[in-house]
Amino acid sequence: MTDSAESPSTQKINIVDIDTFVSHAYDFVIIGGGTSGLVVASRLSEDPNLQIAVLEAGKAKVNDFRIKVLALAPSMLGNPEYDWGFKTVPQEHLGGRAEDQNRGKVLGGSSAINYMMTTYSTTEGLDAWEKLGNKGWGAKNIKPYLHKFQTWNCPSEETKELFELDKTTVESSLDASDGPIQTGIYKNLGPLERDFVKAFRNMRHSPVRTDPVNGVSRGAYPIPATVNPRTAERSYAVTGYYLPASNRCNLHVLTEAHVTKILFDDVHASGVAFIHHGQAYSISAKQGVILSAGAIQSPQILELSGIGPAHILEQHGVKPIVINDNVGENLQDHIMTILPFPPAQPDTPIFSNPTLVKQAMEEHAKTASGPLSKFIGTSAFVSLTDILSVTESGRDANNFVTSHFLPIDALSNQQRLIRTLLEGSGASTQFLILPSYLRPPSSNNEGGHTLVIGLMHPFSRGNIHIGSSDPLAAPLIDPKYFSSPIGREILARSLMYAENAIHTAPLSHHVAGHERKFTNSGDVDTGLQAAREHLKKWAKTTYHPVGTCAMLPLEEGGVVDSDLRVYGVMGLRVVDASVFPLIPQGNPQTLVYAVVEKASDIIKSGLKMET
Ligand SMILES: Cc1cc2nc3c(=O)[nH]c(=O)nc-3n(C[C@H](O)[C@H](O)[C@H](O)COP(=O)(O)OP(=O)(O)OC[C@H]3O[C@@H](n4cnc5c(N)ncnc54)[C@H](O)[C@@H]3O)c2cc1C
């Protein structure tokens, strides 16, 4: 099954009506028709003997141009037609700011609104999951699924030439892939992206030596996106997984259906209650309920249903089914900051000019090309040792964490592993570049091209809990950004490193008169302090929350076991980004698809054993 060659805009949508939906008997009920929910629905419904229901709170919007046209992605943020538009609670270390937490509220979930960047965790990062107590979840077990979810489209000769790519840097191991999601490097990357890559390489970073999908992601290179190269349209859970399966009689998807709680028969999950167009309904599940509402709402739904910390359930008058203090904890996110700089050749941000947008939309529709047919397409992953060279010349990463911040015997299992990743082959920081002309209309930064600088291995852990028993109220999201100061210190140094990058040829040729703010005086402490102040104002989410229903042993903070079954109950699994025990390096969607493909196999093999 692959993303159909037919343009999604001409494909049939098959969403059932409420009467059909509630009159049917289902084996599995899936909560959330987002990235994960649609993958597991599509895989389980391959068996015609299984009746599958999916409830999605958002609308279908299958042919929506904002979802399809790549560079329009930021225009969906904050728009309630697509985005839940959550806010965090005020963040102490971000000057008390309450930060945006955008999440897709539409069929396809966050895969419908995300920025399509396609990068991979390192081998060590994946092995860390197994080391945390999850048997069968090491790199060797997960990698086959990184291949299974996608069809890799080789870059054009022009792109290879532009970036001097050889076979080793273009996902060569994916050549035979034929999965549902289309991936490939944007075909119209230009001199700015090329010179971003060259500048990082000139800062002593050798090009990536092996295929990134195989677990080595350090250095600067053009990154793939989840895009259909024929149409230059987004490839996502709807086009890749749902549409090709939507004619199956055993798969029913109901949109605008907000799940309010999971129903239990004693400790057995027996169905779900939901609201559709203001009316309350319930359906039952013969074999199980699969919770795929994402890292923000899966813990919320567990708590609303009576699974969570005793004090939270008691405070909000929720009848307990199972007390588990780990629900909603372990929240991890990549925090990032930005460094805008004025372009050498001033250009007009396309979104400030409706005529330009109209022309670009027409060009995109007619020729699958033009300025809207790409988004962020290059990345540099830089090691902690290189980042530290900005302030601590001659030092390497060894002991930075323990000598500066945490004595070695005070490290938790997770912190020990993060330290190993930082000192090993991983990167502490991801750098991206967004060209000036694609600047989102909502961005209130100083303008120009923008370097985006993301912290890959945060030590801070936050939480998400219900703030009331009202299922329609937003949960309280507290990422506790920078509550562990190591992350702030690494990101501050990374910001200084970014400033050096924009003054390094040939990226420097794209800059007009940028004044150094962090690396001008030669006084490292003054520069560092200025960088810390910048972070207070300009640090925010990269939209990668994970970990709030962690797959871990119960005594180590787990909510689900390594078969993704919720501890203490029967017939309930969580299958989405909330089960990640440890946030991966880079953009997480590849791992979300892979984890859910693997989870689908686990569920199916369990069924075989029962028959
Ligand atoms: C703006 C943005 C940009 C991003 N950019 C990138 C990127 O470039 N690369 C990358 O790798 N990752 C990116 N990500 C992250 C990536 O998209 C997510 O990690 C991934 O899609 C999460 O999948 P999920 O299945 O866990 O959750 P989701 O895809 O969010 O699915 C959850 C679904 O559950 C539904 N739901 C929630 N509550 C209920 C309820 N009560 N009843 C019914 N339905 C409910 C939601 O509406 C949603 O459809 C980005 C995310 C965002 C938001």
Side-chain angles (χ1 to χ4, degrees):
M1 182 176 70
T2 63
D3 196 347
S4 170
E6 199 182 354
S7 163
S9 52
T10 61
Q11 286 184 335
K12 194 166 149 241
I13 313 163
N14 189 10
I15 307 278
V16 298
D17 61 74
I18 182 70
D19 295 333
T20 313
F21 192 80
V22 291
S23 60
H24 212 74
Y26 297 105
D27 292 292
F28 287 98
V29 174
I30 299 168
I31 302 172
T35 318
S36 307
L38 292 184
V39 175
V40 76
S42 137
R43 290 304 181 194
L44 293 185
S45 63
E46 284 169 351
D47 179 346
N49 297 315
L50 292 177
Q51 302 298 315
I52 310 297
V54 179
L55 295 126
E56 166 54 40
K59 294 179 181 165
K61 291 193 168 292
V62 169
N63 295 318
D64 190 280
F65 72 96
R66 287 182 198 276
I67 294 176
K68 288 195 296 188
V69 179
L70 309 173
L72 296 184
S75 75
M76 292 182 276
L77 303 194
N79 180 339
E81 285 286 299
Y82 308 85
D83 179 9
W84 287 90
F86 295 124
K87 288 263 179 205
T88 67
V89 302
Q91 293 298 290
E92 184 184 346
H93 303 284
L94 300 185
R97 280 184 289 128
E99 260 302 315
D100 291 339
Q101 268 290 346
N102 308 91
R103 292 282 89 194
K105 183 184 185 182
V106 62
L107 197 63
S110 298
S111 76
I113 69 165
N114 73 16
Y115 290 176
M116 299 153 289
M117 284 177 268
T118 301
T119 62
Y120 302 94
S121 172
T122 56
T123 298
E124 285 105 319
L126 295 178
D127 281 340
W129 284 23
E130 189 157 42
K131 287 186 183 145
L132 285 167
N134 298 303
K135 196 162 181 305
W137 286 92
K140 69 175 183 308
N141 314 101
I142 297 175
K143 277 182 184 171
Y145 294 99
L146 289 170
H147 290 234
K148 185 175 183 183
F149 85 81
Q150 64 178 307
T151 294
W152 161 249
N153 297 276
C154 285
S156 65
E157 289 309 314
E158 289 91 322
T159 302
K160 285 188 194 163
E161 207 173 300
L162 185 71
F163 289 99
E164 297 164 16
L165 294 178
D166 60 27
K167 194 72 181 150
T168 59
T169 51
V170 287
E171 271 82 349
S172 51
S173 67
L174 290 174
D175 281 353
S177 59
D178 65 349
I181 298 292
Q182 300 286 333
T183 56
I185 296 173
Y186 294 128
K187 57 187 175 195
N188 54 346
L189 297 176
L192 178 69
E193 287 96 347
R194 176 199 60 200
D195 293 343
F196 164 88
V197 167
K198 282 191 171 169
F200 274 87
R201 288 182 183 173
N202 288 344
M203 291 172 84
R204 288 184 295 117
H205 307 299
S206 47
V208 179
R209 293 238 172 269
T210 55
D211 193 347
V213 75
N214 274 339
V216 182
S217 297
R218 206 190 261 178
Y221 55 101
I223 51 168
T226 42
V227 58
N228 183 330
R230 289 178 297 279
T231 57
E233 289 177 356
R234 176 190 295 270
S235 181
Y236 70 119
V238 168
T239 56
Y241 285 90
Y242 172 62
L243 287 177
S246 66
N247 284 334
R248 294 178 190 158
C249 305
N250 62 334
L251 172 60
H252 283 179
V253 174
L254 184 71
T255 52
E256 299 176 72
H258 190 120
V259 171
T260 52
K261 69 192 288 199
I262 300 160
L263 304 171
F264 286 92
D265 190 357
D266 192 18
V267 290
H268 204 291
S270 57
V272 305
F274 64 97
I275 295 174
H276 179 70
H277 293 173
Q279 190 122 16
Y281 299 89
S282 64
I283 51 170
S284 49
K286 283 187 273 183
Q287 305 215 40
V289 173
I290 296 172
L291 179 53
S292 298
I296 306 286
Q297 285 140 300
S298 283
Q300 178 191 25
I301 292 171
L302 285 182
E303 290 185 352
L304 288 169
S305 311
I307 302 176
H311 68 283
I312 301 275
L313 303 184
E314 192 181 329
Q315 186 184 353
H316 300 295
V318 179
K319 182 176 160 244
I321 302 285
V322 169
I323 299 300
N324 183 340
D325 289 344
N326 306 326
V327 172
E329 297 296 322
N330 193 46
L331 171 61
Q332 301 163 54
D333 193 5
H334 293 139
I335 190 165
M336 60 100 154
T337 191
I338 52 168
L339 183 61
F341 58 96
Q345 289 171 334
D347 54 7
T348 316
I350 194 166
F351 299 114
S352 64
N353 184 331
T355 312
L356 286 182
V357 175
K358 189 163 173 278
Q359 282 167 0
M361 291 283 289
E362 282 166 7
E363 190 179 357
H364 182 270
K366 278 194 199 132
T367 63
S369 63
L372 297 181
S373 60
K374 71 169 179 184
F375 201 55
I376 296 172
T378 47
S379 176
F381 287 102
V382 177
S383 71
L384 182 58
T385 304
D386 283 325
I387 295 295
L388 292 183
S389 67
V390 182
T391 52
E392 277 117 305
S393 160
R395 285 189 70 140
D396 66 11
N398 289 334
N399 302 326
F400 177 78
V401 171
T402 42
S403 64
H404 276 63
F405 302 102
L406 283 168
I408 201 148
D409 49 6
L411 293 175
S412 68
N413 277 350
Q414 281 203 16
Q415 289 169 333
R416 251 177 247 279
L417 284 164
I418 300 172
R419 180 175 178 248
T420 316
L421 297 176
L422 285 170
E423 292 170 2
S425 67
S428 68
T429 313
Q430 180 182 22
F431 297 84
L432 306 161
I433 190 159
L434 181 67
S436 169
Y437 81 90
L438 284 177
R439 206 149 41 87
S442 58
S443 76
N444 50 357
N445 66 36
E446 299 154 37
H449 303 310
T450 306
L451 275 194
V452 178
I453 306 140
L455 181 73
M456 292 292 93
H457 297 292
F459 281 74
S460 302
R461 296 290 177 268
N463 58 50
I464 295 176
H465 293 294
I466 51 172
S468 91
S469 58
D470 176 0
L472 301 182
L476 301 177
I477 304 168
D478 186 1
K480 298 190 191 299
Y481 291 124
F482 296 149
S483 53
S484 167
I486 308 169
R488 187 191 58 212
E489 293 306 310
I490 295 175
L491 201 57
R493 287 159 173 82
S494 303
L495 180 60
M496 297 168 83
Y497 191 91
E499 194 168 70
N500 285 341
I502 62 177
H503 288 273
T504 300
L507 185 56
S508 54
H509 304 155
H510 297 265
V511 186
H514 174 264
E515 273 181 42
R516 286 179 181 263
K517 292 184 194 140
F518 315 113
T519 52
N520 54 353
S521 63
D523 172 6
V524 167
D525 288 339
T526 311
L528 252 180
Q529 194 47 35
R532 291 184 193 116
E533 289 303 316
H534 177 97
L535 294 183
K536 267 196 201 150
K537 198 168 161 207
W538 289 115
K540 65 188 292 287
T541 179
T542 41
Y543 320 109
H544 299 165
V546 301
T548 47
C549 300
M551 171 176 66
L552 283 170
L554 185 59
E555 60 285 3
E556 296 283 339
V559 175
V560 298
D561 67 16
S562 53
D563 282 340
L564 307 182
R565 290 177 298 221
V566 175
Y567 288 117
V569 294
M570 286 187 289
L572 177 60
R573 282 186 157 95
V574 183
V575 179
D576 60 26
S578 69
V579 304
F580 286 21
L582 196 60
I583 196 165
Q585 173 179 316
N587 310 81
Q589 66 168 340
T590 51
L591 200 47
V592 175
Y593 283 118
V595 163
V596 183
E597 284 280 14
K598 182 164 158 54
S600 304
D601 276 357
I602 291 173
I603 297 169
K604 282 171 148 180
S605 67
L607 291 171
K608 272 192 214 125
M609 279 157 63
E610 281 162 26
T611 51

